[in-house]
Amino acid sequence: MKVEPKAVAAITAAVAFYMQAQAAQAAVEAPPVARREPPKPTAPFSAWALSGRQSMMEMRRLWQMRLVR
């Protein structure tokens, strides 16, 4: 199959033009840069709170297993 140099040049130019047009369109439609929100403050670790949650879960487990009498 014979390859025409002019046809290859025309196809290459068309593809390059298409890619430039797509890049320009993407640049125009680019969403604004989102700002990062500062991290929300969290409660400090409390061993007392952890112990309370564990005891509540343990009691619930015992009630579910009907072991509390």
Side-chain angles (χ1 to χ4, degrees):
M1 181 173 181
K2 186 177 179 183
V3 178
E4 297 279 338
K6 288 184 178 182
V8 172
I11 292 170
T12 305
V15 170
F17 180 74
Y18 177 78
M19 290 175 67
Q20 282 180 342
Q22 289 295 318
Q25 184 70 20
V28 169
E29 294 178 357
V33 177
R35 295 183 196 167
R36 294 189 71 183
E37 295 182 15
K40 295 180 181 175
T42 58
F45 174 76
S46 171
W48 292 102
L50 179 64
S51 175
R53 285 190 295 271
Q54 284 179 336
S55 65
M56 286 189 291
M57 289 189 290
E58 180 68 17
M59 278 306 288
R60 183 174 181 188
R61 186 180 69 82
L62 291 174
W63 278 109
Q64 287 175 347
M65 294 174 56
R66 294 189 169 105
L67 295 177
V68 178
R69 295 193 187 235

